Amino acid sequence: MSDGLLILRLAHVLARLGLAMTGAVGATFVSALLMRAELPWFDTVEFTVLLIALGMIGAYLGIDIPRWPQLQAGPAHRWPAIGLASATGTFLAAGAGLLSLYAFVIDETSDPAGNLLFGATWMLGVCMQIGAGLAGRRQIARVKSRN
């Protein structure tokens, strides 16, 4: 493996880890906001760790879907849907994380229903990211196995 290729792979891994950390940050603020809903299952370390793990997985898998095989073979009609699901999931998760950050830092008083709405929006976005990321990688594996 050439030095240039090794550096590019290292850069890609570092970028993906940075995306995962960004997902963890959003999850942390969503978790902090959900704690204000005063429901017992949201006020645990385990719940916070679960959200952080989901945020990291969602950002890692869903933001950077490899796309090069789509140009070579395979059902091209699925790629735009996968890309749209990934982009929509990223938008929802990032938007809910940003609004949670705002509400938490500014100490905005919000009702528990609003906090649950932010949490549900974030969770929907992360699930879309994970689903799109897995679907995209599955399609790539199919294309590679045919070649």
Side-chain angles (χ1 to χ4, degrees):
M1 182 179 306
S2 72
D3 289 343
L5 185 57
L6 183 63
I7 291 170
L8 285 176
R9 285 182 183 233
L10 178 63
H12 187 74
V13 168
L14 286 175
R16 298 281 297 271
L17 290 174
L19 292 172
M21 288 187 283
T22 302
V25 169
T28 302
F29 283 108
V30 169
S31 176
L33 191 66
L34 285 172
M35 286 180 191
R36 292 184 178 181
E38 297 178 5
L39 295 171
W41 55 85
F42 290 152
D43 199 12
T44 65
V45 172
E46 293 84 6
F47 180 76
T48 301
V49 169
L50 175 66
L51 286 190
I52 290 171
L54 287 173
M56 291 177 76
I57 293 167
Y60 186 88
L61 288 177
I63 292 177
D64 184 27
I65 299 173
R67 291 180 173 87
W68 66 267
Q70 82 183 27
L71 300 174
Q72 296 176 354
H77 66 280
R78 293 186 183 164
W79 288 100
I82 291 170
L84 180 61
S86 174
T88 303
T90 300
F91 179 80
L92 292 174
L98 181 63
L99 291 173
S100 297
L101 169 66
Y102 170 78
F104 188 75
V105 170
I106 304 300
D107 202 22
E108 185 75 25
T109 56
S110 60
D111 62 309
N115 295 349
L116 292 174
L117 179 63
F118 285 145
T121 301
W122 180 85
M123 184 59 76
L124 175 63
V126 168
C127 288
M128 289 177 76
Q129 286 179 314
I130 292 171
L134 292 176
R137 283 163 179 78
R138 195 171 114 213
Q139 289 294 106
I140 288 169
R142 283 184 183 166
V143 169
K144 285 183 179 179
S145 67
R146 282 188 232 150
N147 295 337

